[in-house]
Amino acid sequence: MATTSDPILVAQALLAARAEKTPLTVYPGAYPGTMAEAYAIQDAAIALDGRRVGGWKVGRIAPELVERHGGNRLTGPIFSDEIVDASAGEIPDMPVYGAGFAAAEAEILLCFGEVADGDYDIDTVRDCIAAVRTGIEVASSPFPEINRHGPAVTASDYGNNKGLVLGPPIADWRDTDLITMPVEMSVDGEIVGAATMETMLDGPFGSALFLIRTLRARGIAIPPGTWVSAGAITGIHEIKPGQHAEAVFDGKIRVSCSITG
């Protein structure tokens, strides 16, 4: 039987694997070759899922694949019921697909206020940001090889997202040089990555600008309160159930979570 390229059938299979927590040994259809094909699957899955989208993750496309895919970023939905506030120092349990792919990423989180009609640029996009917080994106998919077949495959399964931990705010973000802020990521107390946002293309506000343009092209509104997980700062750190992840921003702002299966 031929491998399906019907985005609805692929979306149904991906959703079933997530709901049943069943690992996918093969991708459930033809690999999407373009971002348009990937977002068609993603849009179908969002519609079938029915949950409210509370934010969007933004990830980077490898430099050697930028020309092929027409851009340097991808996005996927973060559902409201998988966004956890840990700003008071809580250590929430964040579930992943233990037999699939799972990772934790230190990220800057932007909260949209009103997004007006018209064009934005890298400077004016700040005007529609209401708050900035620290956080951890939990990436997970029942397809263990999700990141091995290109960004379109990654984007097709919710951008490989499984949740978001909201850490403490950066209250003075308008006057802070976020780009040079040092960030460290630890797993079970061992540092697994350290970097600044200088590694993130044009930084977190570039991610917000990308998201506005991409969602508008897909006909998706951005209501106030929508979160943007702006991209991995220290890398994509694979993680397993039972482990503990902690991100430290500017040497003093901490956000943590425990990973469950």
Side-chain angles (χ1 to χ4, degrees):
M1 185 171 64
T3 302
T4 183
S5 59
D6 184 328
I8 295 177
L9 294 179
V10 176
Q12 287 174 333
L14 290 171
L15 282 179
R18 282 178 172 256
E20 297 164 10
K21 301 179 177 61
T22 303
L24 291 168
T25 56
V26 296
Y27 187 79
Y31 292 134
T34 67
M35 297 311 295
E37 292 174 354
Y39 290 141
I41 297 169
Q42 189 186 109
D43 288 342
I46 292 170
L48 290 166
D49 191 304
R51 288 179 293 166
R52 187 173 76 86
V53 175
W56 296 84
K57 63 83 59 73
V58 175
R60 184 173 184 173
I61 292 176
E64 66 272 17
L65 298 175
V66 167
E67 183 175 356
R68 173 181 172 183
H69 291 285
N72 55 19
R73 287 179 166 101
L74 61 85
T75 188
I78 308 172
F79 293 96
S80 295
D81 63 348
E82 295 181 332
I83 299 176
V84 180
D85 192 335
S87 58
E90 302 93 336
I91 304 177
D93 289 338
M94 300 298 290
V96 300
Y97 301 102
F101 176 88
E105 304 167 13
E107 309 213 2
I108 284 291
L109 315 179
L110 311 178
C111 185
F112 279 117
E114 292 287 345
V115 180
D117 294 334
D119 295 330
Y120 288 96
D121 60 27
I122 193 64
D123 295 316
T124 59
V125 74
R126 293 170 175 258
D127 297 336
C128 60
I129 301 301
V132 175
R133 291 172 71 163
T134 57
I136 295 174
E137 185 208 346
V138 177
S140 191
S141 167
F143 182 41
E145 297 184 358
I146 187 167
N147 288 340
R148 300 180 188 174
H149 300 281
V153 171
T154 301
S156 71
D157 187 23
Y158 290 160
N160 196 12
N161 179 264
K162 190 64 179 72
L164 187 65
V165 181
L166 305 178
I170 301 176
D172 56 348
W173 64 270
R174 293 186 184 278
D175 300 314
T176 299
D177 183 5
L178 294 177
I179 295 295
T180 61
M181 177 183 290
V183 180
E184 288 185 349
M185 187 72 179
S186 297
V187 173
D188 288 345
E190 180 179 347
I191 295 175
V192 292
T196 69
M197 281 165 268
E198 293 172 296
T199 63
M200 291 176 55
L201 302 171
D202 48 3
F205 298 105
S207 293
L209 183 61
F210 158 81
L211 189 63
I212 290 173
R213 292 171 175 172
T214 300
L215 295 186
R216 280 178 174 173
R218 293 166 61 186
I220 299 174
I222 304 176
T226 298
W227 289 98
V228 186
S229 194
I233 301 168
T234 65
I236 300 170
H237 308 293
E238 294 195 31
I239 201 163
K240 299 177 182 178
Q243 293 189 304
H244 175 269
E246 181 179 65
V248 181
F249 296 79
D250 203 23
K252 57 182 181 292
I253 306 173
R254 297 177 180 272
V255 55
S256 303
C257 66
S258 293
I259 303 300
T260 63

